[in-house]
Each structure stands twice: as C-alpha cells, then as structure tokens.
Amino acid sequence: MAYRPKDIYRGRRKYRVPLTIALSVLAALIVGAVALFYFLQQFLVYDQTGVRLQLPFMAAEETEETIEATPTPAFIPVEVQIVYEDPDFSELDLGGWEELKPTTAKFVPYADAASEQRLNAALALVSTDDYNGVVLELKDRGGQLAWASACEMAVSYGTAGTMDYTETVAALHERGLTVGARISCLADELLATRNWPLALRDLGGTTYRDGRGVYWLDPYNRQVRDYIADLMAELAAMGFDEILLADLYHPISDNALFDDSGALVDTGFTYSVTVQTGPNPVNAVCQMGKRLVEGMEGTGVAVSAVIDESSLLEGRAERTGQDIGVFWRIFARLYCPCESWNAPTDLEYAAETLNAGEASVRFVPVCEYFPEGFESVLILPTVNQ
C-alpha cells in the first residue's frame, strides 16, 4: 500500500528552534563583546590619574563644551614651557640634627619589613643591649610600598602595599628603640614604567634603565617630588622618628659629555623641564632634597640621606648630584654604605665638609659588622641571619 509523507509520525520539536535561536544570539553577543573589547583598547588613555576611556566623539563633545563656555576669542594658543632656574645653596642650613644622639641601629631589608611574620622574626633578634634603634626598608628600587598608602598616585598606579606600622613603631618605642624608615626616591621601576612621563629619559626619549637594570625617575619633575613628600608624611603619621632617603642620586649616562678639564657639559638625558643654564645634577638632586626636608618641618621627624661612596671618595658629586657639603646643610645625618675597614676613611672625608654638629653622630657607616671606634652605625643583616 502506498503511503504519503504526511502519514509518517514525527516527534514534537517544540523547543528546538527557539533554543537554536537563543544559542546563536548568545554566541553572536560573545563574539561581539570580544571584538568590542579589543577595538576599545586603542582608545584607552593612561595618565597620572589612572586609566580612562576616551572615544573620538567624547573628545569632540568636550571640545564643543569648552568652546561654548569660552568668551570671544574662543581659543588663543599659548605655548607653555616650564623653566627651571638654578637654586642657591650658599646660605642654606636647615638644621634638624641638633637633637640627634648617636645611633646603633639594625637594618631590616624590604623582604622582611613587608611581611608581618618575617618582620616580627627579625625584630625579635634585635637586642637592646647591642642596639638603640632599627631601620625598616619600606620602599626599595622596585617601587612597591610595604605599607597601605592612601597617596593618590600610589593608589592610581598600584604601588600601595598592605602593612600598617603604627603599632609596630609604638611597640619598638616601648622597648626604648628609635625607628627609622628607608625609602628609595629616584630609583623606582613601577612608577617609571606605569607612569612614563615621570621617568628619566635618554636623548631619544626612551625611558632610561641603567646597566644594572634599574629604572630612574626625573629629579626635576615636581610630581615625583610631591609623591615622595606624600609618602614621607604618611610615615611621619605612623610615628617613625627618622626617614632615610635612599637613591636621591642622579645616574650617570654613557652619553654624558665632558670638556677637556673633565667638567660635565651634558648629562645625556631628557628632562620634563627646560633648565635655564643647562641640566645640573647637583642642583636637581639637592633642590629636591631641600624641598622634601622643608616639607617635614614641624613634624619632629629627622630626614637623612643615604649617600654613595663614590660621591664621597671619588669626586663624582658633579655627576651624581650628591654634593656632600650641601647635603650636610640639608639633612640631619648622612648614611654611607661601606666596608667596616673603610669606615674611618669615609668619616674623615665626610668631616672635611661638615658645617655643624659632630661627625661621629651625623655620619653613619652602613656595614655588616661594627667598625671600631664609631658611635653611630647601621648594621646590615649578614648572610647567615
């Protein structure tokens, strides 16, 4: 018997078509979202306030609003140029050393200071019979802060840490110990790579990185100085007695130019300002140090600097910016990393430019072992510790 197609039984497919449509729409949305995500990458704008999306029509709207709100003439182009004039340090003397006493302090490096467990273990080894203070490294050259900073730039660029040292400092004070905080100033990988306008640049405009792989910030940049000043204010609020400014130092470029007498003619770097008489590492570094110390007036916190031994012994202050004579008039103490056996020589050279106070109190060698005859010293942890 012949049969017709309509006589064949077919199961119900009540949901198949809607489901297929729904899945197709979902797949299209996913593909579209991925494509949109990658398309919008080109419109992301990075600045000192963070990351924002700037679409072409948004820029046009902002321009129209600006024109409507501006009286005639609507726009007058003005070329803005920041000119840096050389400062005068001849009469400078900020003091801050008058109340200082000799310090025999134990240094706690960043890896230990940034971990609560490791910090407690390190501080447990500090005997008050041997030491009268500790120094915690809370910002190294990597740029990551050990403490939970609320500084706008630290929050925007992800450099804030998680620790709070208020109770730790108070507990150390109860033990009769003074507490210092060491922070790197111009060596900062995170800020130099995440906020490149603040970075020191070579003559080609590329972010500078020295032979050791260290990234450096522009010593003339006011935002850099303000960032460090904000961090110092937070440390003061946590109760630290002294702040040690490390890497307040101008790196030396392979492209630097010198005249026949060996005097620096060109640093080989590009800066964020125009320097009226040409870039000068001493003026840049010492002016930054001066402003940072002035910003701490009234806090009762001593501000000291970590100097490079080459600036002291090898006459390289013109290149590094660390003019020891000027540094004595800016900072409370000068800390100098050196070998224990060489500490007396460093002290002798440093004392030659000392303007006031006692060199035995204000000059602090940074060594692994106590050098003989010294009243002030910062002791590094040894390999076995």
Side-chain angles (χ1 to χ4, degrees):
M1 175 180 177
Y3 63 88
R4 292 171 296 179
K6 65 179 183 179
D7 294 329
I8 298 176
Y9 173 77
R10 300 180 184 274
R12 295 186 178 182
R13 292 180 291 179
K14 182 178 180 180
Y15 302 105
R16 182 172 297 178
V17 173
L19 181 60
T20 300
I21 295 174
L23 291 176
S24 299
V25 172
L26 179 61
L29 289 175
I30 293 175
V31 172
V34 172
L36 181 63
F37 172 79
Y38 285 103
F39 173 75
L40 292 178
Q41 297 292 308
Q42 61 184 310
F43 300 111
L44 292 178
V45 176
Y46 297 81
D47 57 23
Q48 66 269 22
T49 62
V51 183
R52 58 189 173 86
L53 182 66
Q54 179 68 67
L55 297 174
F57 70 85
M58 294 171 61
E61 290 177 358
E62 290 179 3
T63 302
E64 292 174 2
E65 291 176 1
T66 302
I67 294 176
E68 291 176 1
T70 305
T72 305
F75 178 72
I76 301 177
V78 178
E79 183 178 350
V80 179
Q81 187 178 49
I82 300 176
V83 178
Y84 182 93
E85 297 182 359
D86 290 343
D88 180 12
F89 302 113
S90 58
E91 303 298 326
L92 178 66
D93 192 351
L94 299 182
W97 49 267
E98 295 86 351
E99 302 299 323
L100 292 179
K101 298 179 180 180
T103 179
T104 52
K106 183 69 173 179
F107 181 70
V108 181
Y110 179 86
D112 293 333
S115 165
E116 184 174 1
Q117 182 177 1
R118 295 179 64 169
L119 176 60
N120 291 335
L123 295 179
L125 298 176
V126 179
S127 169
T128 53
D129 293 332
D130 299 321
Y131 301 99
N132 62 15
V134 295
V135 172
L136 309 182
E137 185 177 34
L138 302 184
K139 178 180 181 287
D140 62 7
R141 290 178 170 180
Q144 186 70 50
L145 309 179
W147 73 96
S149 173
C151 168
E152 181 179 357
M153 190 173 295
V155 174
S156 298
Y157 292 96
T159 65
T162 59
M163 297 278 285
D164 185 344
Y165 294 91
T166 306
E167 294 183 1
T168 299
V169 172
L172 291 171
H173 284 162
E174 291 181 1
R175 293 175 57 188
L177 297 168
T178 60
V179 191
R182 169 175 161 145
I183 59 174
S184 176
C185 293
L186 294 174
D188 190 317
E189 179 175 353
L190 287 183
L191 209 57
T193 54
R194 295 180 181 179
N195 190 3
W196 64 265
L198 305 186
L200 188 62
R201 289 169 286 159
D202 60 24
L203 294 178
T206 302
T207 300
Y208 176 72
R209 188 182 188 187
D210 68 20
R212 297 168 297 176
V214 178
Y215 288 89
W216 293 84
L217 300 175
D218 184 349
Y220 284 106
N221 194 291
R222 182 173 297 178
Q223 287 185 315
V224 172
R225 188 185 70 204
D226 291 345
Y227 175 56
I228 301 300
D230 288 344
L231 301 184
M232 294 171 65
E234 290 184 332
L235 294 172
M238 284 188 278
F240 284 93
D241 304 293
E242 185 175 2
I243 297 175
L244 285 62
L245 301 180
D247 299 315
L248 188 58
Y249 174 97
H250 192 293
I252 303 172
S253 171
D254 293 337
N255 296 318
L257 297 178
F258 306 89
D259 61 19
D260 294 338
S261 66
L264 184 67
V265 176
D266 192 312
T267 63
F269 290 108
T270 301
Y271 302 93
S272 58
V273 301
T274 298
V275 185
Q276 197 169 46
T277 58
N280 184 311
V282 171
N283 289 340
V285 169
C286 291
Q287 179 70 350
M288 182 178 181
K290 173 177 176 288
R291 295 299 188 192
L292 292 175
V293 174
E294 289 175 338
M296 296 299 290
E297 290 181 351
T299 64
V301 178
V303 181
S304 300
V306 179
I307 62 174
D308 190 80
E309 199 173 22
S310 67
S311 301
L312 185 65
L313 302 180
E314 300 174 19
R316 304 179 76 185
E318 180 189 18
R319 305 182 189 187
T320 66
Q322 294 186 329
D323 186 310
I324 306 305
V326 178
F327 267 37
W328 277 131
R329 300 197 292 273
I330 295 176
F331 299 106
R333 295 192 221 259
L334 300 184
Y335 289 76
C336 184
C338 61
E339 299 292 341
S340 300
W341 57 268
N342 203 44
T345 302
D346 290 344
L347 176 60
E348 181 180 345
Y349 273 86
E352 291 179 358
T353 55
L354 183 66
N355 64 311
E358 296 292 332
S360 60
V361 175
R362 299 187 62 192
F363 182 80
V364 186
V366 183
C367 314
E368 286 190 354
Y369 305 99
F370 280 96
E372 293 185 7
F374 273 78
E375 295 185 63
S376 291
V377 65
L378 178 60
I379 301 297
L380 299 171
T382 60
V383 177
N384 295 328
Q385 288 183 307

